[in-house]
Amino acid sequence: MAWEVVTGPLPPCTSAEPCGSDWPGLAVAVVMVLSLYWVWRQPRLGVAGLAVTLAALPVDEGLTAFARPSALAYLLATAFAVAGLVHRLTMSGRQRALATEAAGPVTRLLPEAARTFRRGRLSFVSAAVFLAVAGFGVWQALGVADAYDQRAARAAHLSGEVTAVDEDEGVLTVTAEGRTRRIDTAFPEDFPVGTRVDLVADGDGAVLVAEPYDAFGWELLVLGGSVAGLAFLANGVTGHLAARRLRRGPLPVLHVLVREGEEDGRTYVFAADDTEGRRPVLCFHSLYAFEDDEEEFDGEEFDGDDPASGDDADLRKIAEILRGGGPTPPLREAVLYGAPYAGAEVAFVAREDEDDPEVAVECSVTAVKPAVPGWRARGPQRRGRTSPRRSADEIAARMTPTAGPRVWRAHGFSRAIGLGLLLVQGGGVWAALDDGPSWSWLWLVPALPWLLTSVATALTWRITADRDGLWVTGAWRVRRVPWDAITSVRHHEDGIRVGRAKDSSVDLSPTGWAWLERRTGREPGAERVADEVLALLHRPDLRPDAEATAGQQGMPVGPPLVALTVLWGAAVLLLL
């Protein structure tokens, strides 16, 4: 799709056919962007969207359009994508049949609380907001066109010859009736020297009749608002209809085990005989339902963490999701209502704990997904680890007590990441300063501090363990963390996080690239460091007997890196 968009022919702007707002083309662009999202989340709509974008090519250019390599490649890629979508829908049907067979002939109506649970309102409200933004963009774009028409009605119409073209600046030099004018153009390549062009001149200003006005900004707003609004609308309708089907009649029921995910808050469903929770089968987000529940939610647009419910129980659940890092939630017995398959809606009843005499009803607020194991798996198995976390005793068995301080520092992968980011930083500063003062300098405000911190950390991070605690050297300072103040040490998102009892955690990031290290058959260096520091925390007999010297504590290189960046920026300005 990207190849076809970039290389597809654009009709030249002429006085007979000026380049104005192309609303049909914009509508196709909206469907094209939506199709990419629907292929991921809405297979049926994905098939329809791909069909519309594919049909737009022969409608606009005829069947000869597929003679272009990019259009032919798009045709083949679309056919492959549609085959994949049909396969997904077929598999969903098979999953539903197998689930119904497993449940047997017994069916039950939903509990009353689940029958009054609604979802979809949040998506509908969001859709209304974004579609209103798109409507505002259409109104403004039409206003720009009307303003040009009024100007053209009272302006002078001239014909001139292009005498010079500045393609870098997008400016034409046009001589008309003995006067030379500089005219801005979006497509200078369409008007070579010697071309006759028509102008609309009003005082000192003039525009090409072929390019009467520029409403690109408003059209971009229409594109973004329409895509977001229609995505929310489709999700709301889909979720609402699926929830209605769930309440329509008796449903198959399954005896299962459920558990909340540690990191993402999803509800993971296990087979009833998987008492250790080793292999999750399904996952979805859910919220509590009550008999007088009138709140609605639709999470189809999101992967989680955006629930909306006024109930205190839901708020507590959301807070637990956002906090994360707590103890592993227990497995709970539950009864699952509805045939579970990819894209389905379900509900379940379960006790909060074994001693609770009453059961709670929860309804899915995102579509059911298969819990596929693998390197992208999330939830009950900690993300990023390919094997269970080893205990402190296992790690300690490989370590021997030392008298001197233990030092862990940036390893090869971490330094490679730092050097790569340093090149990005240098190239970014060069690119921003290349054209002189401009609005592009604004991106340096948020980007440079992040890059400086990341580069300095990746190149020279260090953790030193001595008799009394840890010295943690980051980008800007060396922090002291006593042993009795440490609550946890873990490898977190390619960084090392040292939790403290009273203050905020001490973070080092990035400290490598765990995914690439595993792909090359190595144990991630930062993960090993976190495990060994955690072993020292739990096994005081392994801690060093001496205190770390100033040289062993390390030195942050953030400040020198700032000076180096300033010198590099000055050199770029002097060389340009």
Side-chain angles (χ1 to χ4, degrees):
M1 184 180 289
W3 184 17
E4 170 60 17
V5 169
V6 171
T7 62
L10 291 175
C13 302
T14 63
S15 298
E17 296 182 2
C19 293
S21 295
D22 181 13
W23 298 114
L26 184 61
V28 173
V30 169
V31 176
M32 185 175 292
V33 178
L34 276 172
S35 297
L36 296 177
Y37 169 72
W38 283 339
V39 164
W40 172 41
R41 297 300 296 269
Q42 302 277 9
R44 289 180 176 84
L45 293 177
V47 172
L50 290 174
V52 169
T53 58
L54 195 62
L57 283 174
V59 169
D60 188 40
E61 305 176 43
L63 293 176
T64 56
F66 295 110
R68 290 197 312 273
S70 59
L72 181 60
Y74 180 50
L75 172 63
L76 297 176
T78 300
F80 181 78
V82 169
L85 294 173
V86 171
H87 174 71
R88 285 168 56 186
L89 294 172
T90 303
M91 291 301 102
S92 293
R94 288 183 58 186
Q95 290 168 9
R96 181 173 187 175
L98 289 171
T100 304
E101 180 183 351
V106 178
T107 59
R108 291 286 184 271
L109 288 173
L110 277 177
E112 184 63 29
R115 289 202 296 271
T116 59
F117 185 86
R118 301 288 186 271
R119 80 181 190 90
R121 183 179 299 171
L122 179 63
S123 275
F124 289 135
V125 171
S126 301
V129 171
F130 282 108
L131 291 177
V133 170
F136 176 75
V138 172
W139 178 54
Q140 290 293 330
L142 294 176
V144 172
D146 290 341
Y148 168 77
D149 291 339
Q150 295 175 11
R151 176 185 179 185
R154 60 175 181 267
H157 292 257
L158 308 175
S159 178
E161 181 180 347
V162 177
T163 57
V165 179
D166 187 344
E167 293 193 3
D168 293 334
E169 297 292 335
V171 175
L172 304 179
T173 302
V174 180
T175 301
E177 296 186 355
R179 181 178 176 181
T180 300
R181 291 180 170 86
R182 290 174 59 83
I183 311 296
D184 292 331
T185 175
F187 305 100
E189 63 277 6
D190 290 345
F191 306 98
V193 174
T195 304
R196 299 292 299 182
V197 295
D198 296 321
L199 306 178
V200 172
D202 184 4
D204 293 333
V207 296
L208 294 171
V209 173
E211 298 179 17
Y213 55 87
D214 181 12
F216 178 75
W218 296 117
E219 292 169 354
L220 194 61
L221 181 65
V222 173
L223 175 67
S226 299
V227 168
L230 291 175
F232 273 112
L233 181 62
N235 291 335
V237 171
T238 302
H240 183 71
L241 293 178
R244 285 186 60 184
R245 288 194 297 270
L246 190 67
R247 301 191 301 269
R248 189 170 295 166
L251 300 168
V253 290
L254 288 167
H255 177 208
V256 297
L257 300 174
V258 296
R259 172 189 283 164
E260 299 293 328
E262 295 178 67
E263 295 187 353
D264 54 14
R266 285 189 176 94
T267 297
Y268 284 81
V269 178
F270 301 81
D273 57 356
D274 187 6
T275 56
E276 295 185 3
R278 293 184 179 275
R279 184 181 178 185
V281 181
L282 307 166
C283 64
F284 51 87
H285 283 96
S286 62
L287 287 180
Y288 294 101
F290 302 93
E291 292 190 10
D292 59 349
D293 191 355
E294 295 183 356
E295 294 294 328
E296 301 184 7
F297 172 75
D298 181 80
E300 192 75 30
E301 174 72 11
F302 306 98
D303 261 350
D305 296 7
D306 286 288
S309 174
D311 188 81
D312 290 342
D314 289 337
L315 293 177
R316 288 195 301 270
K317 184 173 181 178
I318 296 166
E320 291 171 1
I321 294 171
L322 295 176
R323 283 197 300 267
T328 300
L331 280 171
R332 299 179 289 156
E333 284 191 289
V335 176
L336 189 73
Y337 288 79
Y341 59 94
E345 300 286 330
V346 295
F348 68 91
V349 295
R351 290 185 174 89
E352 288 297 303
D353 54 62
E354 295 181 356
D355 300 327
D356 196 340
E358 297 185 0
V359 296
V361 180
E362 295 189 44
C363 295
S364 61
V365 291
T366 57
V368 169
K369 296 180 181 180
V372 181
W375 70 274
R376 293 184 62 182
R378 301 169 64 183
Q381 294 179 350
R382 302 294 292 184
R383 178 177 55 191
R385 296 190 73 100
T386 56
S387 58
R389 182 181 292 277
R390 292 167 297 183
S391 67
D393 291 336
E394 290 181 87
I395 301 166
R398 304 187 311 175
M399 303 172 63
T400 55
T402 60
R406 292 180 181 268
V407 179
W408 299 272
R409 55 174 61 88
H411 49 88
F413 268 95
S414 179
R415 289 172 180 157
I417 296 296
L419 290 175
L421 292 175
L422 184 62
L423 292 176
V424 171
Q425 175 185 316
V429 170
W430 180 289
L433 303 181
D434 186 36
D435 296 328
S438 69
W439 65 267
S440 62
W441 287 21
L442 294 177
W443 75 265
L444 294 174
V445 176
L448 263 185
W450 178 84
L451 279 171
L452 287 168
T453 301
S454 299
V455 169
T457 302
L459 288 176
T460 60
W461 65 267
R462 179 181 294 199
I463 297 178
T464 303
D466 62 11
R467 180 182 60 192
D468 299 321
L470 300 177
W471 294 95
V472 182
T473 303
W476 307 103
R477 57 177 174 155
V478 180
R479 281 176 285 192
R480 180 62 160 168
V481 188
W483 288 116
D484 56 5
I486 301 174
T487 59
S488 63
V489 183
R490 62 191 180 107
H491 180 246
H492 178 72
E493 294 182 354
D494 286 325
I496 298 174
R497 174 169 291 178
V498 180
R500 295 189 288 182
K502 296 182 179 180
D503 301 317
S504 60
S505 61
V506 178
D507 293 336
L508 294 175
S509 180
T511 54
W513 190 358
W515 177 83
L516 184 59
E517 292 175 65
R518 290 192 184 95
R519 297 291 289 181
T520 57
R522 302 166 182 252
E523 179 186 11
E527 190 174 285
R528 176 181 53 81
V529 171
D531 287 344
E532 292 183 0
V533 174
L534 186 63
L536 294 183
L537 175 65
H538 293 294
R539 292 284 300 273
D541 56 298
L542 293 176
R543 297 175 190 171
D545 298 327
E547 293 186 0
T549 64
Q552 291 171 324
Q553 295 169 17
M555 183 184 73
V557 297
L561 190 60
V562 170
L564 181 63
T565 303
V566 171
L567 292 175
W568 170 247
V572 170
L573 289 174
L574 292 174
L575 291 173
L576 296 178

